[in-house]
Each structure stands twice: as structure tokens, then as C-alpha cells.
Amino acid sequence: QVQMKETGPGLVQTTQTLSVACTVSGFSLSSYGVHWIRQAPGKGLDWLGVIWGDGNTNYNSALRSRLSISWDPSKSQVFLTMNSLHTDDTAVYYCAGNNSPRLWYVLDAWGQGASVTVSS
Amino acid sequence: DIQMTQSPASLSASLEEVVTITCKASQGIDDYLSWYQQKPGKSPQLLIYDATNLADGVPSRFSGSRSGTQFSLKIRRPQVDDSGIYYCLQSFSTPWTFGGGTKLEL
């Protein structure tokens, strides 16, 4: 069973850089994609990007210039980095993936989310 | 980018109704459409994938359908536990995009 858990800083300052880690278990990062999704308070889900099993990445068009997704397969970790933070980047940041490589296009495994507050 | 227009934004339903939530894609996405349920303070959970297939453990009162670029999620005789926010997601092409969400109250 795939499990995912996010670890984030909790509070960051505006203009600084956010780093959130996703630690996965139950699968190899080289077999599955890991996605990042965020949810601002009271708002909907916003897909941020993905790192695929071959290490290639895709990003949200509006946030592409500020985002980076990387990984360390030896530690089963995926990292989301976002620079030039604004207060409206305050959100819960989720990593998500899937339990079956056949269903690579659905998200049936989610972490519990990391709450991040951006404050000036 | 593919836009997913979801409606309604919110609805209140009785336990005897059939609830219908729709998502319209701005272009063709084949059946790369999934539905998720989110309860307060919780992570989203997969309900339906391939537009019509129920995820494991999802009650049969949930169903999905497709007509062209319009997708629907139906809940027959919803239960109180079905209250929450529902989202569609297109995974036909990157960037993936979610619908705006539908808040269901029972």
C-alpha cells in the first residue's frame, strides 16, 4: 500500500523560499509519478506539478517560474520548492500519487498535507 | 491549458434525491476524468476514475458518466456522510487541472 507524508516548515516569510518534502513508502519513485497539489484556506484544489518515474517534470503554467520539483530516490523523497513567496501562497500542500502504475493518471494515494503560512 | 468548469458551486439536497454534479472540459479529454471527495480537514479521496469506474470501496450509489466533453457525477439516495466538497480532475494532458469544486450539504 502506497503511503505518502509531507513535511514542511509551518511558517515562512514573504519573499523567501518554501521547501516541502514528501516521503513515500510502498513503492519505488522510479515506477510512479508524484504530484503536488495545494489548497488555500477555503479554496479549491490547485495542481502544482509532478515528477515522473523517469525524473521528468511538469508544472502549473501560472506558477512554473517559481516552482521546482526534485527527488532523492535513495531516500524515497520528493521535494517541492517555491520561491518569491507571497501571502497568498498560504495553503495546505499535498503530495499525491497512485497505488498502481496502470492507473498513473489518477490520484488514489494522498498525504495528510502540510500546512504552510506565509507571513510578512 | 484545459479548463474544467464545474457546477453547481454548492447545493443542498435531501436524502431521497439524485444529486448531479457536472464538469465540462474546454477541449476533449477522452475518459481521463476522475472525481474526488473531500471532507473538512481531510485529504481528498478518489471516487471515480476513467469517467465511469468506481474506485475500490466506493458505494454503488455513486456513478459517473460522460457525454462528449461533459462529465457527471451522480449520487443516488445520498447519505448524510456524503456531505463534503467534490472535485473533478482532468489528467488528459499536463498541466492537470481540477474543477472549482461543489460543496454538497445534506
Side-chain angles (χ1 to χ4, degrees), chain A residues 48-62:
Chain A
L48 298 179
V50 59
I51 186 163
W52 300 105
D54 59 4
N56 285 326
T57 54
N58 295 104
Y59 296 104
N60 177 303
S61 299

Side-chain angles (χ1 to χ4, degrees), chain B residues 41-84:
Chain B
K42 300 294 187 182
S43 305
Q45 288 197 309
L46 176 68
L47 291 176
I48 286 174
Y49 63 96
D50 289 348
T52 60
N53 290 336
L54 247 57
D56 290 345
V58 175
S60 59
R61 61 180 179 271
F62 290 89
S63 64
S65 64
R66 170 195 171 191
S67 176
T69 59
Q70 181 153 305
F71 299 82
S72 296
L73 170 69
K74 278 187 165 52
I75 313 172
R76 288 182 165 74
R77 294 183 175 267
Q79 304 298 301
V80 172
D81 188 53
D82 297 335
S83 296

Side-chain angles (χ1 to χ4, degrees), chain A residues 39-45 90-92, chain B residues 85 87 100:
Chain A
Q39 186 170 38
K43 303 295 185 183
L45 301 172
T90 293
V92 175
Chain B
I85 304 179
Y87 297 93

Side-chain angles (χ1 to χ4, degrees), chain A residues 7-67:
Chain A
T7 309
L11 178 67
V12 289
Q13 302 295 312
T14 52
T15 76
Q16 291 192 338
T17 297
L18 169 67
S19 292
V20 186
C22 175
T23 303
V24 307
S25 61
F27 72 98
S28 167
L29 287 179
S30 61
S31 302
Y32 296 73
V34 173
H35 300 252
W36 287 97
I37 298 101
R38 74 177 180 180
Q39 186 170 38
K43 303 295 185 183
L45 301 172
D46 194 13
W47 185 86
L48 298 179
V50 59
I51 186 163
W52 300 105
D54 59 4
N56 285 326
T57 54
N58 295 104
Y59 296 104
N60 177 303
S61 299
L63 297 170
R64 180 191 309 274
S65 63
R66 300 171 51 214
L67 282 175

Side-chain angles (χ1 to χ4, degrees), chain A residues 35 39 61 94 105-107 111, chain B residues 1 36 38 43 50 87 91:
Chain A
H35 300 252
Q39 186 170 38
S61 299
Y94 296 100
Y105 51 93
V106 301
L107 300 174
Chain B
D1 297 3
Y36 300 82
Q38 186 179 33
S43 305
D50 289 348
Y87 297 93
S91 52

